[in-house]
Amino acid sequence: MSKIKNGLFVVATPIGNLGDMSARAQEILTKVDKIACEDTRVTGKLLSRFSIITPMTVYNDHNAGKIRPGLIADLMHGAAIALVSDAGMPAISDPGYKLIQACINDSIPLTVIPGPNAALTGLVQSGLPTNRFLFQGYLPVKSGARLSELEELSRIPATLVVYESGKRLAKSLADMASVLGDRPAAVARELTKLHEEVRRGSLAELANLYGAELAPRGEIVVVIAPPEAPSLPNELELEAMLAGRLSHLSVKDAASEVAQITQIPRKILYDIAVRLLHEKDGR
Ligand code: SAM
C-alpha cells in the first residue's frame, strides 16, 4: 500500500447509508496515523464496518481548544491526521473550521475528501431552486432570537437551508411562516436512511401538519423557497410615481428617488421625467 503524504485530511462520512462511504475516504482513513473524531463510539462503528484499525482521538466542541495545539504539533512533525465528524462533512455545523484555519496559518498541507452532506442532499431533494441558496445551519433555540434571525433571512433572495430537530420543528415552521411569509418549502427527514421522508408544501401547511402530530423522530433539514421577486411597475405606474415627485423635486432628484424604490436604472427614469415635463409644458 503506497504511503500517504503528511497533513490534515478532512474526510466526509455517510449521513446514514453506509454505502455512501467513498473508496477514497476508506483509503485515507486506513492510511493516516490517527483519526480525530467527535465521538469514538460513533466513528468506531464506522471504522469496524470497513475493517479500519487506525487509532482515534477525540476532537469535539468540548475539548477542541485543548486538543488543537497537540494536533497541530503532530502535523508540523510530519504526521498524517484525518478529521471526521459523527456524520457528513466536518466543519459544516460540526467541529473543524478552527483546525483547518490553524493548518492554513501554519502552512500544513490540507486535503478535503468530499462526500455526503445533509444540507446539499436536502436542497436537491426538495426540488426548490438550487441556483442560489443560503445555508443557515441551526436557527437559535429561543423563539425571540429565532424570530429576529428569520427577520434578517427574510430579505435574502435565495433558497434557505436550515438544520432543525424534531422537537422544535413545528414551532420553528410556525415562526418561519409568520416571518418569511407562506413560501413553498420542504421538510427532509432521515435522508439516505431506511425511513427517509420528504414532505413538501407551503410553510403554513407544513407548520399545521407537524403541529398536529407528535414530534417526528430522526434528523431533519428544512428547505425554504426564495421570496417572490417584487413585480416591476409598468410605465403608467412609473409616470404616476414621477409626476407626484416632479411637483416638488427636480427631474434628477425625482428620478433618483424612484430608482431607489424600484431598482430601475436612473437614466431610464430621468428620460421619462423629462418627457413628462415637456408634455406638461405642451412642447
Ligand atoms: N456535518 C453534517 C453534514 O455535513 O450534513 C451536519 C452535522 S449537524 C451536527 C447534524 C444535523 O444535520 C442534524 O441535526 C440534521 O439537521 C442534519 N442531518 C444530518 N444527517 C441527516 C439526515 N440523514 N437527514 C436529514 N438531516 C440530517
Side-chain angles (χ1 to χ4, degrees), residues 13-17 38 85-95 116-120 135 138 162-165 188-193 218-222:
T13 57
I15 56 169
N17 190 325
E38 282 186 273
S85 60
D86 282 352
M89 180 61 89
I92 303 299
S93 291
D94 267 340
N117 165 254
L120 288 181
F135 172 61
Y138 293 103
V162 178
Y163 285 164
E164 194 47 281
S165 76
R189 198 170 65 82
E190 295 290 83
L191 289 165
T192 78
K193 302 185 195 176
E219 304 197 271
I220 292 162
V221 181
V222 182

PDB file of all heavy atoms in Angstrom, residues 13-17 38 85-95 116-120 135 138 162-165 188-193 218-222, ligand 1:
ATOM      1  N   THR A  13     -18.088  11.604   5.764  1.00  0.00           N
ATOM      2  CA  THR A  13     -18.552  10.232   6.007  1.00  0.00           C
ATOM      3  C   THR A  13     -20.074  10.191   5.807  1.00  0.00           C
ATOM      4  O   THR A  13     -20.722  11.244   5.741  1.00  0.00           O
ATOM      5  CB  THR A  13     -18.179   9.783   7.440  1.00  0.00           C
ATOM      6  OG1 THR A  13     -18.742  10.722   8.363  1.00  0.00           O
ATOM      7  CG2 THR A  13     -16.671   9.709   7.638  1.00  0.00           C
ATOM      8  N   PRO A  14     -20.677   9.015   5.701  1.00  0.00           N
ATOM      9  CA  PRO A  14     -22.112   8.921   5.402  1.00  0.00           C
ATOM     10  C   PRO A  14     -23.002   9.660   6.407  1.00  0.00           C
ATOM     11  O   PRO A  14     -22.678   9.757   7.591  1.00  0.00           O
ATOM     12  CB  PRO A  14     -22.377   7.418   5.449  1.00  0.00           C
ATOM     13  CG  PRO A  14     -21.069   6.804   5.096  1.00  0.00           C
ATOM     14  CD  PRO A  14     -20.031   7.686   5.720  1.00  0.00           C
ATOM     15  N   ILE A  15     -24.167  10.148   5.925  1.00  0.00           N
ATOM     16  CA  ILE A  15     -25.161  10.770   6.817  1.00  0.00           C
ATOM     17  C   ILE A  15     -26.251   9.751   7.171  1.00  0.00           C
ATOM     18  O   ILE A  15     -27.296  10.095   7.694  1.00  0.00           O
ATOM     19  CB  ILE A  15     -25.788  12.041   6.205  1.00  0.00           C
ATOM     20  CG1 ILE A  15     -26.412  11.763   4.828  1.00  0.00           C
ATOM     21  CG2 ILE A  15     -24.763  13.150   6.120  1.00  0.00           C
ATOM     22  CD1 ILE A  15     -27.278  12.904   4.303  1.00  0.00           C
ATOM     23  N   GLY A  16     -26.015   8.505   6.876  1.00  0.00           N
ATOM     24  CA  GLY A  16     -26.982   7.450   7.201  1.00  0.00           C
ATOM     25  C   GLY A  16     -26.613   6.151   6.491  1.00  0.00           C
ATOM     26  O   GLY A  16     -26.233   5.173   7.119  1.00  0.00           O
ATOM     27  N   ASN A  17     -26.656   6.198   5.183  1.00  0.00           N
ATOM     28  CA  ASN A  17     -26.414   4.992   4.387  1.00  0.00           C
ATOM     29  C   ASN A  17     -24.912   4.727   4.244  1.00  0.00           C
ATOM     30  O   ASN A  17     -24.182   5.517   3.623  1.00  0.00           O
ATOM     31  CB  ASN A  17     -27.050   5.189   3.009  1.00  0.00           C
ATOM     32  CG  ASN A  17     -27.068   3.911   2.214  1.00  0.00           C
ATOM     33  OD1 ASN A  17     -26.147   3.101   2.306  1.00  0.00           O
ATOM     34  ND2 ASN A  17     -28.123   3.714   1.453  1.00  0.00           N
ATOM     35  N   GLU A  38     -15.410  13.180  16.562  1.00  0.00           N
ATOM     36  CA  GLU A  38     -16.235  13.774  17.630  1.00  0.00           C
ATOM     37  C   GLU A  38     -16.485  12.784  18.760  1.00  0.00           C
ATOM     38  O   GLU A  38     -16.491  13.135  19.921  1.00  0.00           O
ATOM     39  CB  GLU A  38     -17.598  14.177  17.067  1.00  0.00           C
ATOM     40  CG  GLU A  38     -17.602  15.456  16.285  1.00  0.00           C
ATOM     41  CD  GLU A  38     -19.028  15.810  15.908  1.00  0.00           C
ATOM     42  OE1 GLU A  38     -19.513  15.336  14.870  1.00  0.00           O
ATOM     43  OE2 GLU A  38     -19.660  16.564  16.663  1.00  0.00           O
ATOM     44  N   SER A  85     -16.379  13.856  11.323  1.00  0.00           N
ATOM     45  CA  SER A  85     -17.392  14.189  12.332  1.00  0.00           C
ATOM     46  C   SER A  85     -18.292  12.971  12.485  1.00  0.00           C
ATOM     47  O   SER A  85     -18.072  11.944  11.835  1.00  0.00           O
ATOM     48  CB  SER A  85     -18.170  15.436  11.917  1.00  0.00           C
ATOM     49  OG  SER A  85     -18.821  15.225  10.698  1.00  0.00           O
ATOM     50  N   ASP A  86     -19.331  13.078  13.331  1.00  0.00           N
ATOM     51  CA  ASP A  86     -20.212  11.919  13.510  1.00  0.00           C
ATOM     52  C   ASP A  86     -20.826  11.507  12.178  1.00  0.00           C
ATOM     53  O   ASP A  86     -21.057  10.318  11.938  1.00  0.00           O
ATOM     54  CB  ASP A  86     -21.332  12.257  14.505  1.00  0.00           C
ATOM     55  CG  ASP A  86     -20.841  12.215  15.951  1.00  0.00           C
ATOM     56  OD1 ASP A  86     -19.683  11.783  16.167  1.00  0.00           O
ATOM     57  OD2 ASP A  86     -21.605  12.613  16.844  1.00  0.00           O
ATOM     58  N   ALA A  87     -21.139  12.491  11.348  1.00  0.00           N
ATOM     59  CA  ALA A  87     -21.744  12.196  10.041  1.00  0.00           C
ATOM     60  C   ALA A  87     -21.567  13.385   9.116  1.00  0.00           C
ATOM     61  O   ALA A  87     -21.561  14.529   9.564  1.00  0.00           O
ATOM     62  CB  ALA A  87     -23.239  11.916  10.220  1.00  0.00           C
ATOM     63  N   GLY A  88     -21.417  13.104   7.839  1.00  0.00           N
ATOM     64  CA  GLY A  88     -21.368  14.163   6.832  1.00  0.00           C
ATOM     65  C   GLY A  88     -20.023  14.856   6.746  1.00  0.00           C
ATOM     66  O   GLY A  88     -18.972  14.282   7.071  1.00  0.00           O
ATOM     67  N   MET A  89     -20.069  16.105   6.313  1.00  0.00           N
ATOM     68  CA  MET A  89     -18.846  16.868   6.068  1.00  0.00           C
ATOM     69  C   MET A  89     -18.412  17.599   7.334  1.00  0.00           C
ATOM     70  O   MET A  89     -19.177  18.418   7.858  1.00  0.00           O
ATOM     71  CB  MET A  89     -19.141  17.872   4.927  1.00  0.00           C
ATOM     72  CG  MET A  89     -17.974  18.750   4.557  1.00  0.00           C
ATOM     73  SD  MET A  89     -16.541  17.809   3.968  1.00  0.00           S
ATOM     74  CE  MET A  89     -16.890  17.724   2.235  1.00  0.00           C
ATOM     75  N   PRO A  90     -17.205  17.311   7.839  1.00  0.00           N
ATOM     76  CA  PRO A  90     -16.715  18.055   9.004  1.00  0.00           C
ATOM     77  C   PRO A  90     -16.740  19.566   8.712  1.00  0.00           C
ATOM     78  O   PRO A  90     -16.651  19.980   7.555  1.00  0.00           O
ATOM     79  CB  PRO A  90     -15.273  17.558   9.159  1.00  0.00           C
ATOM     80  CG  PRO A  90     -15.268  16.206   8.526  1.00  0.00           C
ATOM     81  CD  PRO A  90     -16.237  16.300   7.376  1.00  0.00           C
ATOM     82  N   ALA A  91     -16.881  20.349   9.756  1.00  0.00           N
ATOM     83  CA  ALA A  91     -16.885  21.820   9.679  1.00  0.00           C
ATOM     84  C   ALA A  91     -18.215  22.399   9.204  1.00  0.00           C
ATOM     85  O   ALA A  91     -18.393  23.615   9.224  1.00  0.00           O
ATOM     86  CB  ALA A  91     -15.739  22.373   8.808  1.00  0.00           C
ATOM     87  N   ILE A  92     -19.153  21.561   8.771  1.00  0.00           N
ATOM     88  CA  ILE A  92     -20.476  22.083   8.391  1.00  0.00           C
ATOM     89  C   ILE A  92     -21.422  21.790   9.556  1.00  0.00           C
ATOM     90  O   ILE A  92     -21.850  20.645   9.735  1.00  0.00           O
ATOM     91  CB  ILE A  92     -20.990  21.440   7.073  1.00  0.00           C
ATOM     92  CG1 ILE A  92     -19.994  21.667   5.940  1.00  0.00           C
ATOM     93  CG2 ILE A  92     -22.363  21.994   6.717  1.00  0.00           C
ATOM     94  CD1 ILE A  92     -19.734  23.140   5.586  1.00  0.00           C
ATOM     95  N   SER A  93     -21.687  22.810  10.380  1.00  0.00           N
ATOM     96  CA  SER A  93     -22.411  22.641  11.657  1.00  0.00           C
ATOM     97  C   SER A  93     -21.762  21.532  12.481  1.00  0.00           C
ATOM     98  O   SER A  93     -22.444  20.784  13.188  1.00  0.00           O
ATOM     99  CB  SER A  93     -23.904  22.342  11.439  1.00  0.00           C
ATOM    100  OG  SER A  93     -24.552  23.464  10.933  1.00  0.00           O
ATOM    101  N   ASP A  94     -20.490  21.396  12.374  1.00  0.00           N
ATOM    102  CA  ASP A  94     -19.682  20.398  13.083  1.00  0.00           C
ATOM    103  C   ASP A  94     -18.304  20.994  13.352  1.00  0.00           C
ATOM    104  O   ASP A  94     -17.927  21.959  12.683  1.00  0.00           O
ATOM    105  CB  ASP A  94     -19.513  19.141  12.203  1.00  0.00           C
ATOM    106  CG  ASP A  94     -20.581  18.100  12.489  1.00  0.00           C
ATOM    107  OD1 ASP A  94     -21.194  18.160  13.557  1.00  0.00           O
ATOM    108  OD2 ASP A  94     -20.783  17.212  11.639  1.00  0.00           O
ATOM    109  N   PRO A  95     -17.527  20.420  14.289  1.00  0.00           N
ATOM    110  CA  PRO A  95     -16.182  20.967  14.545  1.00  0.00           C
ATOM    111  C   PRO A  95     -15.264  20.813  13.331  1.00  0.00           C
ATOM    112  O   PRO A  95     -15.481  19.910  12.516  1.00  0.00           O
ATOM    113  CB  PRO A  95     -15.660  20.091  15.698  1.00  0.00           C
ATOM    114  CG  PRO A  95     -16.824  19.324  16.206  1.00  0.00           C
ATOM    115  CD  PRO A  95     -17.835  19.258  15.123  1.00  0.00           C
ATOM    116  N   PRO A 116     -20.866  12.865   1.492  1.00  0.00           N
ATOM    117  CA  PRO A 116     -22.224  13.183   1.911  1.00  0.00           C
ATOM    118  C   PRO A 116     -22.322  14.450   2.751  1.00  0.00           C
ATOM    119  O   PRO A 116     -21.428  14.767   3.529  1.00  0.00           O
ATOM    120  CB  PRO A 116     -22.628  11.968   2.759  1.00  0.00           C
ATOM    121  CG  PRO A 116     -21.736  10.872   2.293  1.00  0.00           C
ATOM    122  CD  PRO A 116     -20.449  11.514   1.903  1.00  0.00           C
ATOM    123  N   ASN A 117     -23.432  15.141   2.580  1.00  0.00           N
ATOM    124  CA  ASN A 117     -23.735  16.336   3.369  1.00  0.00           C
ATOM    125  C   ASN A 117     -25.254  16.503   3.369  1.00  0.00           C
ATOM    126  O   ASN A 117     -25.882  16.463   2.312  1.00  0.00           O
ATOM    127  CB  ASN A 117     -23.033  17.553   2.733  1.00  0.00           C
ATOM    128  CG  ASN A 117     -23.579  18.864   3.248  1.00  0.00           C
ATOM    129  OD1 ASN A 117     -24.297  19.560   2.548  1.00  0.00           O
ATOM    130  ND2 ASN A 117     -23.254  19.198   4.474  1.00  0.00           N
ATOM    131  N   ALA A 118     -25.831  16.683   4.566  1.00  0.00           N
ATOM    132  CA  ALA A 118     -27.292  16.719   4.680  1.00  0.00           C
ATOM    133  C   ALA A 118     -27.888  17.957   4.002  1.00  0.00           C
ATOM    134  O   ALA A 118     -28.956  17.876   3.399  1.00  0.00           O
ATOM    135  CB  ALA A 118     -27.691  16.687   6.154  1.00  0.00           C
ATOM    136  N   ALA A 119     -27.209  19.108   4.104  1.00  0.00           N
ATOM    137  CA  ALA A 119     -27.755  20.351   3.547  1.00  0.00           C
ATOM    138  C   ALA A 119     -27.936  20.230   2.029  1.00  0.00           C
ATOM    139  O   ALA A 119     -29.001  20.534   1.491  1.00  0.00           O
ATOM    140  CB  ALA A 119     -26.831  21.514   3.888  1.00  0.00           C
ATOM    141  N   LEU A 120     -26.882  19.777   1.346  1.00  0.00           N
ATOM    142  CA  LEU A 120     -26.958  19.683  -0.119  1.00  0.00           C
ATOM    143  C   LEU A 120     -27.928  18.584  -0.553  1.00  0.00           C
ATOM    144  O   LEU A 120     -28.667  18.753  -1.525  1.00  0.00           O
ATOM    145  CB  LEU A 120     -25.571  19.421  -0.716  1.00  0.00           C
ATOM    146  CG  LEU A 120     -24.613  20.601  -0.677  1.00  0.00           C
ATOM    147  CD1 LEU A 120     -23.280  20.229  -1.305  1.00  0.00           C
ATOM    148  CD2 LEU A 120     -25.195  21.809  -1.406  1.00  0.00           C
ATOM    149  N   PHE A 135     -27.023  28.578   3.294  1.00  0.00           N
ATOM    150  CA  PHE A 135     -27.021  27.556   4.334  1.00  0.00           C
ATOM    151  C   PHE A 135     -27.019  28.263   5.678  1.00  0.00           C
ATOM    152  O   PHE A 135     -26.066  28.972   6.008  1.00  0.00           O
ATOM    153  CB  PHE A 135     -25.795  26.648   4.195  1.00  0.00           C
ATOM    154  CG  PHE A 135     -25.651  25.702   5.342  1.00  0.00           C
ATOM    155  CD1 PHE A 135     -26.640  24.765   5.611  1.00  0.00           C
ATOM    156  CD2 PHE A 135     -24.549  25.754   6.183  1.00  0.00           C
ATOM    157  CE1 PHE A 135     -26.531  23.896   6.693  1.00  0.00           C
ATOM    158  CE2 PHE A 135     -24.427  24.889   7.259  1.00  0.00           C
ATOM    159  CZ  PHE A 135     -25.426  23.961   7.514  1.00  0.00           C
ATOM    160  N   TYR A 138     -28.246  25.622  12.125  1.00  0.00           N
ATOM    161  CA  TYR A 138     -29.341  25.652  13.107  1.00  0.00           C
ATOM    162  C   TYR A 138     -29.778  27.091  13.379  1.00  0.00           C
ATOM    163  O   TYR A 138     -28.938  27.981  13.511  1.00  0.00           O
ATOM    164  CB  TYR A 138     -28.886  25.034  14.427  1.00  0.00           C
ATOM    165  CG  TYR A 138     -28.597  23.557  14.347  1.00  0.00           C
ATOM    166  CD1 TYR A 138     -27.292  23.092  14.306  1.00  0.00           C
ATOM    167  CD2 TYR A 138     -29.639  22.632  14.321  1.00  0.00           C
ATOM    168  CE1 TYR A 138     -27.018  21.721  14.241  1.00  0.00           C
ATOM    169  CE2 TYR A 138     -29.374  21.268  14.256  1.00  0.00           C
ATOM    170  CZ  TYR A 138     -28.067  20.831  14.218  1.00  0.00           C
ATOM    171  OH  TYR A 138     -27.805  19.492  14.154  1.00  0.00           O
ATOM    172  N   VAL A 162     -31.984  24.962   6.336  1.00  0.00           N
ATOM    173  CA  VAL A 162     -31.914  25.053   7.796  1.00  0.00           C
ATOM    174  C   VAL A 162     -31.856  23.653   8.408  1.00  0.00           C
ATOM    175  O   VAL A 162     -32.602  22.768   7.992  1.00  0.00           O
ATOM    176  CB  VAL A 162     -33.183  25.782   8.327  1.00  0.00           C
ATOM    177  CG1 VAL A 162     -33.182  25.863   9.846  1.00  0.00           C
ATOM    178  CG2 VAL A 162     -33.308  27.174   7.719  1.00  0.00           C
ATOM    179  N   TYR A 163     -30.980  23.450   9.373  1.00  0.00           N
ATOM    180  CA  TYR A 163     -30.979  22.203  10.154  1.00  0.00           C
ATOM    181  C   TYR A 163     -31.931  22.389  11.336  1.00  0.00           C
ATOM    182  O   TYR A 163     -31.918  23.449  11.976  1.00  0.00           O
ATOM    183  CB  TYR A 163     -29.572  21.885  10.682  1.00  0.00           C
ATOM    184  CG  TYR A 163     -28.597  21.351   9.643  1.00  0.00           C
ATOM    185  CD1 TYR A 163     -27.222  21.330   9.894  1.00  0.00           C
ATOM    186  CD2 TYR A 163     -29.041  20.844   8.432  1.00  0.00           C
ATOM    187  CE1 TYR A 163     -26.320  20.827   8.962  1.00  0.00           C
ATOM    188  CE2 TYR A 163     -28.139  20.338   7.495  1.00  0.00           C
ATOM    189  CZ  TYR A 163     -26.782  20.340   7.769  1.00  0.00           C
ATOM    190  OH  TYR A 163     -25.894  19.839   6.851  1.00  0.00           O
ATOM    191  N   GLU A 164     -32.720  21.380  11.637  1.00  0.00           N
ATOM    192  CA  GLU A 164     -33.663  21.514  12.741  1.00  0.00           C
ATOM    193  C   GLU A 164     -33.845  20.175  13.444  1.00  0.00           C
ATOM    194  O   GLU A 164     -33.608  19.113  12.841  1.00  0.00           O
ATOM    195  CB  GLU A 164     -35.007  22.053  12.203  1.00  0.00           C
ATOM    196  CG  GLU A 164     -35.960  22.545  13.253  1.00  0.00           C
ATOM    197  CD  GLU A 164     -35.330  23.474  14.308  1.00  0.00           C
ATOM    198  OE1 GLU A 164     -34.667  22.946  15.224  1.00  0.00           O
ATOM    199  OE2 GLU A 164     -35.484  24.692  14.208  1.00  0.00           O
ATOM    200  N   SER A 165     -34.251  20.246  14.716  1.00  0.00           N
ATOM    201  CA  SER A 165     -34.506  18.995  15.450  1.00  0.00           C
ATOM    202  C   SER A 165     -36.003  18.706  15.397  1.00  0.00           C
ATOM    203  O   SER A 165     -36.824  19.621  15.231  1.00  0.00           O
ATOM    204  CB  SER A 165     -34.071  19.150  16.906  1.00  0.00           C
ATOM    205  OG  SER A 165     -35.025  19.916  17.602  1.00  0.00           O
ATOM    206  N   ALA A 188     -37.129  17.559   4.918  1.00  0.00           N
ATOM    207  CA  ALA A 188     -36.468  16.311   4.507  1.00  0.00           C
ATOM    208  C   ALA A 188     -35.936  15.618   5.755  1.00  0.00           C
ATOM    209  O   ALA A 188     -35.135  16.194   6.499  1.00  0.00           O
ATOM    210  CB  ALA A 188     -35.329  16.626   3.545  1.00  0.00           C
ATOM    211  N   ARG A 189     -36.402  14.402   6.001  1.00  0.00           N
ATOM    212  CA  ARG A 189     -36.091  13.707   7.263  1.00  0.00           C
ATOM    213  C   ARG A 189     -35.408  12.369   6.969  1.00  0.00           C
ATOM    214  O   ARG A 189     -35.751  11.689   6.004  1.00  0.00           O
ATOM    215  CB  ARG A 189     -37.416  13.460   7.988  1.00  0.00           C
ATOM    216  CG  ARG A 189     -37.312  13.156   9.459  1.00  0.00           C
ATOM    217  CD  ARG A 189     -38.683  13.176  10.089  1.00  0.00           C
ATOM    218  NE  ARG A 189     -39.536  12.122   9.561  1.00  0.00           N
ATOM    219  CZ  ARG A 189     -39.528  10.866   9.974  1.00  0.00           C
ATOM    220  NH1 ARG A 189     -38.701  10.485  10.924  1.00  0.00           N
ATOM    221  NH2 ARG A 189     -40.315   9.980   9.429  1.00  0.00           N
ATOM    222  N   GLU A 190     -34.412  12.056   7.785  1.00  0.00           N
ATOM    223  CA  GLU A 190     -33.740  10.754   7.708  1.00  0.00           C
ATOM    224  C   GLU A 190     -33.204  10.450   6.294  1.00  0.00           C
ATOM    225  O   GLU A 190     -33.365   9.346   5.764  1.00  0.00           O
ATOM    226  CB  GLU A 190     -34.696   9.645   8.169  1.00  0.00           C
ATOM    227  CG  GLU A 190     -35.083   9.748   9.633  1.00  0.00           C
ATOM    228  CD  GLU A 190     -33.920   9.413  10.570  1.00  0.00           C
ATOM    229  OE1 GLU A 190     -33.101  10.301  10.822  1.00  0.00           O
ATOM    230  OE2 GLU A 190     -33.834   8.255  11.019  1.00  0.00           O
ATOM    231  N   LEU A 191     -32.583  11.464   5.698  1.00  0.00           N
ATOM    232  CA  LEU A 191     -32.074  11.316   4.326  1.00  0.00           C
ATOM    233  C   LEU A 191     -31.084  10.161   4.223  1.00  0.00           C
ATOM    234  O   LEU A 191     -30.232   9.996   5.109  1.00  0.00           O
ATOM    235  CB  LEU A 191     -31.404  12.628   3.892  1.00  0.00           C
ATOM    236  CG  LEU A 191     -32.392  13.785   3.651  1.00  0.00           C
ATOM    237  CD1 LEU A 191     -31.645  15.116   3.586  1.00  0.00           C
ATOM    238  CD2 LEU A 191     -33.198  13.560   2.389  1.00  0.00           C
ATOM    239  N   THR A 192     -31.197   9.438   3.173  1.00  0.00           N
ATOM    240  CA  THR A 192     -30.362   8.259   2.826  1.00  0.00           C
ATOM    241  C   THR A 192     -30.628   7.058   3.732  1.00  0.00           C
ATOM    242  O   THR A 192     -29.978   6.029   3.588  1.00  0.00           O
ATOM    243  CB  THR A 192     -28.841   8.551   2.800  1.00  0.00           C
ATOM    244  OG1 THR A 192     -28.341   8.578   4.163  1.00  0.00           O
ATOM    245  CG2 THR A 192     -28.471   9.831   2.090  1.00  0.00           C
ATOM    246  N   LYS A 193     -31.534   7.192   4.724  1.00  0.00           N
ATOM    247  CA  LYS A 193     -31.780   6.092   5.671  1.00  0.00           C
ATOM    248  C   LYS A 193     -33.048   5.331   5.267  1.00  0.00           C
ATOM    249  O   LYS A 193     -33.800   5.756   4.381  1.00  0.00           O
ATOM    250  CB  LYS A 193     -31.930   6.626   7.093  1.00  0.00           C
ATOM    251  CG  LYS A 193     -30.709   7.412   7.571  1.00  0.00           C
ATOM    252  CD  LYS A 193     -30.866   7.815   9.016  1.00  0.00           C
ATOM    253  CE  LYS A 193     -29.855   8.889   9.391  1.00  0.00           C
ATOM    254  NZ  LYS A 193     -30.011   9.387  10.738  1.00  0.00           N
ATOM    255  N   GLY A 218     -35.776  11.451  14.360  1.00  0.00           N
ATOM    256  CA  GLY A 218     -34.719  11.471  13.343  1.00  0.00           C
ATOM    257  C   GLY A 218     -34.195  12.860  13.034  1.00  0.00           C
ATOM    258  O   GLY A 218     -34.510  13.838  13.706  1.00  0.00           O
ATOM    259  N   GLU A 219     -33.392  12.909  11.989  1.00  0.00           N
ATOM    260  CA  GLU A 219     -32.668  14.139  11.644  1.00  0.00           C
ATOM    261  C   GLU A 219     -33.373  14.858  10.496  1.00  0.00           C
ATOM    262  O   GLU A 219     -33.911  14.218   9.596  1.00  0.00           O
ATOM    263  CB  GLU A 219     -31.236  13.786  11.274  1.00  0.00           C
ATOM    264  CG  GLU A 219     -30.562  13.010  12.394  1.00  0.00           C
ATOM    265  CD  GLU A 219     -29.084  12.999  12.246  1.00  0.00           C
ATOM    266  OE1 GLU A 219     -28.576  12.088  11.582  1.00  0.00           O
ATOM    267  OE2 GLU A 219     -28.437  13.903  12.791  1.00  0.00           O
ATOM    268  N   ILE A 220     -33.333  16.190  10.545  1.00  0.00           N
ATOM    269  CA  ILE A 220     -34.206  16.975   9.662  1.00  0.00           C
ATOM    270  C   ILE A 220     -33.489  18.158   9.011  1.00  0.00           C
ATOM    271  O   ILE A 220     -32.730  18.881   9.663  1.00  0.00           O
ATOM    272  CB  ILE A 220     -35.410  17.497  10.472  1.00  0.00           C
ATOM    273  CG1 ILE A 220     -36.292  16.308  10.879  1.00  0.00           C
ATOM    274  CG2 ILE A 220     -36.225  18.520   9.694  1.00  0.00           C
ATOM    275  CD1 ILE A 220     -37.237  16.607  11.996  1.00  0.00           C
ATOM    276  N   VAL A 221     -33.775  18.346   7.727  1.00  0.00           N
ATOM    277  CA  VAL A 221     -33.353  19.564   7.025  1.00  0.00           C
ATOM    278  C   VAL A 221     -34.619  20.241   6.497  1.00  0.00           C
ATOM    279  O   VAL A 221     -35.465  19.577   5.899  1.00  0.00           O
ATOM    280  CB  VAL A 221     -32.439  19.240   5.813  1.00  0.00           C
ATOM    281  CG1 VAL A 221     -32.001  20.526   5.125  1.00  0.00           C
ATOM    282  CG2 VAL A 221     -31.221  18.434   6.230  1.00  0.00           C
ATOM    283  N   VAL A 222     -34.735  21.541   6.736  1.00  0.00           N
ATOM    284  CA  VAL A 222     -35.865  22.310   6.192  1.00  0.00           C
ATOM    285  C   VAL A 222     -35.322  23.182   5.061  1.00  0.00           C
ATOM    286  O   VAL A 222     -34.299  23.850   5.226  1.00  0.00           O
ATOM    287  CB  VAL A 222     -36.519  23.201   7.271  1.00  0.00           C
ATOM    288  CG1 VAL A 222     -37.710  23.951   6.695  1.00  0.00           C
ATOM    289  CG2 VAL A 222     -36.953  22.358   8.472  1.00  0.00           C
TER     290      VAL A 222
HETATM  291  N1  SAM B   1     -21.763  17.888   9.120  1.00  0.00           N
HETATM  292  C1  SAM B   1     -23.074  17.343   8.851  1.00  0.00           C
HETATM  293  C2  SAM B   1     -23.366  17.438   7.353  1.00  0.00           C
HETATM  294  O1  SAM B   1     -22.434  17.610   6.573  1.00  0.00           O
HETATM  295  O2  SAM B   1     -24.510  17.338   6.961  1.00  0.00           O
HETATM  296  C3  SAM B   1     -24.117  18.039   9.681  1.00  0.00           C
HETATM  297  C4  SAM B   1     -23.904  17.884  11.149  1.00  0.00           C
HETATM  298  S1  SAM B   1     -25.110  18.649  12.155  1.00  0.00           S
HETATM  299  C5  SAM B   1     -24.409  18.468  13.742  1.00  0.00           C
HETATM  300  C6  SAM B   1     -26.376  17.468  12.211  1.00  0.00           C
HETATM  301  C7  SAM B   1     -27.664  17.965  11.556  1.00  0.00           C
HETATM  302  O3  SAM B   1     -27.610  17.712  10.156  1.00  0.00           O
HETATM  303  C8  SAM B   1     -28.910  17.217  12.025  1.00  0.00           C
HETATM  304  O4  SAM B   1     -29.435  17.775  13.219  1.00  0.00           O
HETATM  305  C9  SAM B   1     -29.851  17.411  10.868  1.00  0.00           C
HETATM  306  O5  SAM B   1     -30.431  18.701  10.900  1.00  0.00           O
HETATM  307  C10 SAM B   1     -28.871  17.321   9.683  1.00  0.00           C
HETATM  308  N2  SAM B   1     -28.772  15.929   9.219  1.00  0.00           N
HETATM  309  C11 SAM B   1     -27.727  15.075   9.386  1.00  0.00           C
HETATM  310  N3  SAM B   1     -27.993  13.880   8.817  1.00  0.00           N
HETATM  311  C12 SAM B   1     -29.230  13.991   8.277  1.00  0.00           C
HETATM  312  C13 SAM B   1     -30.066  13.088   7.564  1.00  0.00           C
HETATM  313  N4  SAM B   1     -29.678  11.852   7.295  1.00  0.00           N
HETATM  314  N5  SAM B   1     -31.276  13.532   7.158  1.00  0.00           N
HETATM  315  C14 SAM B   1     -31.683  14.801   7.432  1.00  0.00           C
HETATM  316  N6  SAM B   1     -30.931  15.685   8.095  1.00  0.00           N
HETATM  317  C15 SAM B   1     -29.727  15.287   8.525  1.00  0.00           C
END
